[in-house]
PDB file of all heavy atoms in Angstrom:
ATOM      1  N   LEU B 152       3.545  36.452 -13.505  1.00  0.00           N
ATOM      2  CA  LEU B 152       2.565  35.372 -13.333  1.00  0.00           C
ATOM      3  C   LEU B 152       2.321  35.065 -11.857  1.00  0.00           C
ATOM      4  O   LEU B 152       1.191  34.939 -11.409  1.00  0.00           O
ATOM      5  CB  LEU B 152       3.079  34.123 -14.057  1.00  0.00           C
ATOM      6  CG  LEU B 152       2.070  33.006 -14.286  1.00  0.00           C
ATOM      7  CD1 LEU B 152       0.949  33.481 -15.208  1.00  0.00           C
ATOM      8  CD2 LEU B 152       2.749  31.782 -14.879  1.00  0.00           C
ATOM      9  N   THR B 153       3.409  34.955 -11.114  1.00  0.00           N
ATOM     10  CA  THR B 153       3.310  34.479  -9.725  1.00  0.00           C
ATOM     11  C   THR B 153       3.289  35.605  -8.693  1.00  0.00           C
ATOM     12  O   THR B 153       3.060  35.347  -7.520  1.00  0.00           O
ATOM     13  CB  THR B 153       4.502  33.582  -9.380  1.00  0.00           C
ATOM     14  OG1 THR B 153       5.691  34.382  -9.460  1.00  0.00           O
ATOM     15  CG2 THR B 153       4.632  32.407 -10.327  1.00  0.00           C
ATOM     16  N   GLY B 154       3.579  36.815  -9.146  1.00  0.00           N
ATOM     17  CA  GLY B 154       3.665  37.909  -8.191  1.00  0.00           C
ATOM     18  C   GLY B 154       4.987  37.930  -7.441  1.00  0.00           C
ATOM     19  O   GLY B 154       5.182  38.759  -6.553  1.00  0.00           O
ATOM     20  N   GLY B 155       5.878  37.002  -7.762  1.00  0.00           N
ATOM     21  CA  GLY B 155       7.196  36.963  -7.124  1.00  0.00           C
ATOM     22  C   GLY B 155       7.090  36.844  -5.624  1.00  0.00           C
ATOM     23  O   GLY B 155       6.155  36.236  -5.108  1.00  0.00           O
ATOM     24  N   SER B 156       8.060  37.457  -4.920  1.00  0.00           N
ATOM     25  CA  SER B 156       8.046  37.264  -3.473  1.00  0.00           C
ATOM     26  C   SER B 156       6.948  38.076  -2.799  1.00  0.00           C
ATOM     27  O   SER B 156       6.606  37.808  -1.653  1.00  0.00           O
ATOM     28  CB  SER B 156       9.419  37.603  -2.879  1.00  0.00           C
ATOM     29  OG  SER B 156       9.884  38.791  -3.441  1.00  0.00           O
ATOM     30  N   SER B 157       6.371  39.052  -3.499  1.00  0.00           N
ATOM     31  CA  SER B 157       5.270  39.774  -2.850  1.00  0.00           C
ATOM     32  C   SER B 157       3.932  39.057  -3.006  1.00  0.00           C
ATOM     33  O   SER B 157       2.964  39.400  -2.341  1.00  0.00           O
ATOM     34  CB  SER B 157       5.182  41.203  -3.384  1.00  0.00           C
ATOM     35  OG  SER B 157       5.172  41.189  -4.790  1.00  0.00           O
ATOM     36  N   GLY B 158       3.877  38.055  -3.903  1.00  0.00           N
ATOM     37  CA  GLY B 158       2.695  37.205  -3.950  1.00  0.00           C
ATOM     38  C   GLY B 158       1.532  37.752  -4.749  1.00  0.00           C
ATOM     39  O   GLY B 158       1.677  38.681  -5.541  1.00  0.00           O
ATOM     40  N   LEU B 159       0.376  37.184  -4.530  1.00  0.00           N
ATOM     41  CA  LEU B 159      -0.829  37.519  -5.295  1.00  0.00           C
ATOM     42  C   LEU B 159      -2.005  37.734  -4.345  1.00  0.00           C
ATOM     43  O   LEU B 159      -2.082  37.127  -3.278  1.00  0.00           O
ATOM     44  CB  LEU B 159      -1.196  36.368  -6.237  1.00  0.00           C
ATOM     45  CG  LEU B 159      -0.249  36.021  -7.383  1.00  0.00           C
ATOM     46  CD1 LEU B 159      -0.686  34.702  -8.012  1.00  0.00           C
ATOM     47  CD2 LEU B 159      -0.236  37.137  -8.415  1.00  0.00           C
ATOM     48  N   ILE B 160      -2.891  38.609  -4.784  1.00  0.00           N
ATOM     49  CA  ILE B 160      -4.175  38.716  -4.082  1.00  0.00           C
ATOM     50  C   ILE B 160      -5.136  37.744  -4.769  1.00  0.00           C
ATOM     51  O   ILE B 160      -5.265  37.733  -5.990  1.00  0.00           O
ATOM     52  CB  ILE B 160      -4.751  40.150  -4.193  1.00  0.00           C
ATOM     53  CG1 ILE B 160      -3.769  41.161  -3.601  1.00  0.00           C
ATOM     54  CG2 ILE B 160      -6.110  40.235  -3.517  1.00  0.00           C
ATOM     55  CD1 ILE B 160      -3.603  41.092  -2.110  1.00  0.00           C
ATOM     56  N   VAL B 161      -5.796  36.931  -3.986  1.00  0.00           N
ATOM     57  CA  VAL B 161      -6.669  35.908  -4.566  1.00  0.00           C
ATOM     58  C   VAL B 161      -8.067  36.495  -4.762  1.00  0.00           C
ATOM     59  O   VAL B 161      -8.599  37.129  -3.842  1.00  0.00           O
ATOM     60  CB  VAL B 161      -6.747  34.673  -3.645  1.00  0.00           C
ATOM     61  CG1 VAL B 161      -7.540  33.563  -4.299  1.00  0.00           C
ATOM     62  CG2 VAL B 161      -5.350  34.188  -3.294  1.00  0.00           C
ATOM     63  N   PRO B 162      -8.664  36.316  -5.947  1.00  0.00           N
ATOM     64  CA  PRO B 162     -10.023  36.837  -6.160  1.00  0.00           C
ATOM     65  C   PRO B 162     -11.021  36.224  -5.180  1.00  0.00           C
ATOM     66  O   PRO B 162     -10.766  35.170  -4.592  1.00  0.00           O
ATOM     67  CB  PRO B 162     -10.333  36.392  -7.593  1.00  0.00           C
ATOM     68  CG  PRO B 162      -9.026  36.126  -8.226  1.00  0.00           C
ATOM     69  CD  PRO B 162      -8.114  35.675  -7.140  1.00  0.00           C
ATOM     70  N   GLU B 163     -12.147  36.887  -5.049  1.00  0.00           N
ATOM     71  CA  GLU B 163     -13.192  36.359  -4.161  1.00  0.00           C
ATOM     72  C   GLU B 163     -13.705  35.026  -4.690  1.00  0.00           C
ATOM     73  O   GLU B 163     -13.792  34.821  -5.902  1.00  0.00           O
ATOM     74  CB  GLU B 163     -14.372  37.343  -4.091  1.00  0.00           C
ATOM     75  CG  GLU B 163     -14.015  38.716  -3.569  1.00  0.00           C
ATOM     76  CD  GLU B 163     -13.442  38.684  -2.166  1.00  0.00           C
ATOM     77  OE1 GLU B 163     -13.741  37.735  -1.418  1.00  0.00           O
ATOM     78  OE2 GLU B 163     -12.682  39.610  -1.836  1.00  0.00           O
TER      79      GLU B 163
END
Side-chain angles (χ1 to χ4, degrees):
Chain B
L152 194 64
T153 64
S156 45
S157 51
L159 294 169
I160 301 291
V161 185
E163 300 300 335

